Amino acid sequence: MNLLKALFGGAEESPEEKRKNDDAKRFDMFKFDGVKAARMGNFDYAVRCYEEALKIKDDLEVRDYLSQAFVSSDKLPEAICQLKILAAAEPENINVWIQIARVAYMAEDYDAMNDACAAAMELDSKNPHVHYLYAQAYIAAGNNINAVAMLTKAIALKPDMADACLLRGKTLLAMGDVGGASDDADLLIKEYPESEDVLMFNARVASAQGKSDEAIQLYGRVTEVNPFCADAYRERGRLKYGKGDMAGASEDMQKVMEITPGAVADISGEFSAEGVEHKVRKAYSNMNPLGL
């Protein structure tokens, strides 16, 4: 038998070759089972498959898949750990650093986010997404001035970057620069007149400018786009209350309580004609007019 195999090129596998072939098959099985599980939304099982595959062979693609599965499982520190391994293996890959920054932001790990942004900035100082992420890190650190500077650079590099324009406007509004926020609001509403976020921002700017009627109308457009936006009802109700529209304020606060039961801890029961002004006043007295 061995002679025939030798004559016709069918030599038996050595134990080492058999082990390698078996490992390769098992690796592929775990890898593709993990991909299949992730596509079906079974991320815990996907993580187990990827980890078993990595025990057989270290593979950057599998580590990337594993990081994504960890993010989907809300295991953000574990995802960052995998991404850092990828970054060490491919330090020139800016996309890995950007992903680290994004996941670190989700995890509120701002030290890791800053480090990732710095590494990405060294690779490409003209990448608008890096400037945007750096701005988010600055905002988290309470450094709004540098955040606005970073967002302005991002917009200069990519004028149609709506997220950067919106975040800059919100930051300016939080800083009390209503004029600057208004400029961004005007730009955004022209391009995205049906966006819930843009409409909400414009409503808050109008409110900060003292344009209550305009703000109320804008909040109404928000609720048309999203009838379950509790913040829109809450903030519109505050403006109605300020205008003396107790019925309108009460109606909006009831809507808030329907959408988010228990959101107004100091109010209980149905609103009635008796004592409605007192109850609505309590609901709105401590509310930030900018929704912040």
Side-chain angles (χ1 to χ4, degrees):
M1 187 70 174
N2 289 339
L3 177 61
L4 288 174
K5 287 186 176 181
L7 288 173
F8 293 101
E12 288 185 343
E13 284 183 323
S14 68
E16 181 63 19
E17 288 172 333
K18 185 176 186 307
R19 185 189 65 77
K20 288 181 179 179
N21 287 335
D22 287 346
D23 282 349
K25 290 176 183 177
R26 290 176 60 244
F27 174 84
D28 287 340
M29 179 190 71
F30 284 123
K31 175 181 176 180
F32 292 113
D33 277 0
V35 171
K36 190 186 303 182
R39 287 176 179 169
M40 295 173 65
N42 191 347
F43 299 110
D44 288 339
Y45 183 69
V47 165
R48 289 168 55 193
C49 289
Y50 295 141
E51 289 179 333
E52 288 300 320
L54 289 170
K55 289 178 183 178
I56 299 168
K57 181 178 69 173
D58 197 355
D59 182 87
L60 296 183
E61 184 179 30
V62 172
R63 288 197 181 278
D64 185 23
Y65 290 154
L66 179 56
S67 73
Q68 295 174 43
F70 275 139
V71 170
S72 297
S73 303
D74 201 29
K75 296 177 180 177
L76 303 179
E78 291 88 341
I80 293 171
C81 180
Q82 293 301 318
L83 288 166
K84 285 183 176 179
I85 293 172
L86 292 177
E90 298 181 345
E92 302 301 312
N93 189 338
I94 191 172
N95 292 323
V96 174
W97 292 110
I98 287 175
Q99 184 64 359
I100 292 174
R102 286 173 174 162
V103 177
Y105 180 69
M106 294 165 61
E108 299 182 359
D109 185 348
Y110 302 119
D111 289 337
M113 186 180 186
N114 272 312
D115 291 344
C117 287
M121 191 74 80
E122 285 187 14
L123 293 172
D124 185 1
S125 62
K126 294 185 178 180
N127 187 309
H129 301 288
V130 176
H131 286 83
Y132 179 84
L133 287 164
Y134 237 142
Q136 288 183 309
Y138 277 130
I139 291 170
N143 191 340
N144 286 344
I145 293 175
N146 278 340
V148 168
M150 280 290 178
L151 291 166
T152 300
K153 289 179 182 178
I155 295 165
L157 291 165
K158 194 175 188 299
D160 63 344
M161 194 172 184
D163 287 348
C165 189
L166 180 59
L167 184 57
R168 182 177 67 178
K170 289 180 177 180
T171 306
L172 289 169
L173 187 59
M175 294 168 65
D177 184 354
V178 180
S182 178
D183 290 341
D184 281 334
D186 290 342
L187 289 172
L188 288 163
I189 200 71
K190 290 176 183 177
E191 296 295 327
Y192 308 97
E194 301 303 320
S195 165
E196 177 185 342
D197 290 337
V198 170
L199 288 168
M200 194 73 175
F201 174 53
N202 272 262
R204 286 170 172 169
V205 170
S207 178
Q209 292 173 320
K211 301 177 181 178
S212 297
D213 290 338
E214 181 181 338
I216 288 171
Q217 184 266 333
L218 285 163
Y219 284 124
R221 289 176 61 187
V222 174
T223 61
E224 289 174 6
V225 174
N226 178 10
F228 302 100
C229 182
D231 285 342
Y233 292 108
R234 183 184 295 109
E235 293 171 31
R236 184 177 68 179
R238 180 184 180 279
L239 292 176
K240 289 179 178 179
Y241 172 77
K243 290 172 64 68
D245 180 3
M246 301 307 301
S250 174
E251 182 180 352
D252 277 343
M253 185 52 66
Q254 287 188 67
K255 196 69 178 179
V256 172
M257 295 177 71
E258 289 172 12
I259 297 170
T260 55
V264 187
D266 58 349
I267 294 181
S268 60
E270 295 294 325
F271 284 100
S272 61
E274 183 181 5
V276 67
E277 182 172 353
H278 173 67
K279 292 181 178 181
V280 174
R281 183 184 299 114
K282 288 182 67 179
Y284 293 114
S285 61
N286 296 321
M287 189 181 130
N288 188 301
L290 302 181
L292 303 175

